[in-house]
Amino acid sequence: MSGTVDRGVTSAPVRGLTVLYDAECGLCAHLRDWLVRQSQLVPLELVPAGSDEALARFPGVDPAKTLEEVTVIGDSGQVYRGAAAWVVVLWALREHRPLAHRLSTPAGALLARGAVLAAAKYRGAQWSKQRGGKWGGQGTYSRADGWKYVRDQGWVYDPPSCAGSTRPTR
């Protein structure tokens, strides 16, 4: 990115990475779980995109963009999005660093971009399917329905109280 060169972060060592992911996306949550099980050469911290924590830690990063595509932020301010984000995440993993080096070549970058586009298409199809084939429909879990993200447990269900409900009981 052009903004990172001005701050001199292109030569700064990367000692930690924060991965911002969509916690309400099944594919994203699966990949988060996979990442935490991997041996890491560079520590990865996984933070739900658009969360209060993400907004407080990265006020200059557009939360809408972090929900559209995976965003990774280095400890010196480096920002990676899309295919570049996945390559840097693979680079941080012991078993996958050689793959990251291959994906950082011009030919590998095309493959990485294709994989990210395929994941985005799958994610979009799942999003649309959950919402009845259109944006804004019903059928997806949300915080308003009683779902909440707990860092150590993932998504847990805490049903809303029926107190004050006008709904008849059976």
Side-chain angles (χ1 to χ4, degrees):
M1 299 195 112
S2 60
T4 58
V5 175
D6 296 338
R7 295 179 301 186
V9 296
T10 57
S11 61
V14 177
R15 294 189 179 95
L17 295 167
T18 301
V19 179
L20 300 176
Y21 68 96
D22 184 352
E24 293 191 26
C25 163
L27 176 62
C28 303
H30 173 77
L31 290 170
R32 175 209 58 221
D33 294 344
W34 178 80
L35 285 171
V36 297
R37 292 190 309 266
Q38 303 305 304
S39 176
Q40 300 173 3
L41 295 170
V42 175
L44 296 176
E45 186 173 0
L46 294 115
V47 175
S51 67
D52 291 340
E53 179 182 359
L55 295 172
R57 289 180 55 189
F58 309 109
V61 177
D62 181 358
K65 285 186 179 180
T66 65
L67 287 166
E68 289 174 9
E69 62 182 340
V70 64
T71 302
V72 177
I73 302 174
D75 59 341
S76 295
Q78 308 93 324
V79 178
Y80 308 91
R81 286 196 170 88
W86 280 114
V87 171
V88 78
V89 166
L90 290 172
W91 173 83
L93 303 176
R94 179 180 308 281
E95 303 275 328
H96 301 284
R97 187 167 274 187
L99 174 60
H101 286 290
R102 289 192 300 273
L103 292 175
S104 66
T105 66
L110 290 173
L111 180 63
R113 179 167 164 70
V116 167
L117 290 174
K121 185 173 183 174
Y122 171 83
R123 185 173 172 235
Q126 293 305 308
W127 183 261
S128 178
K129 186 170 134 184
Q130 288 175 343
R131 295 183 178 269
K134 59 187 181 302
W135 290 98
Q138 299 296 323
T140 188
Y141 299 124
S142 70
R143 289 176 181 90
D145 295 332
W147 289 93
K148 66 180 180 177
Y149 182 78
V150 178
R151 184 179 199 133
D152 297 332
Q153 298 173 317
W155 283 95
V156 295
Y157 184 64
D158 184 18
S161 169
C162 292
S165 173
T166 58
R167 206 186 255 181
T169 57
R170 292 183 181 193

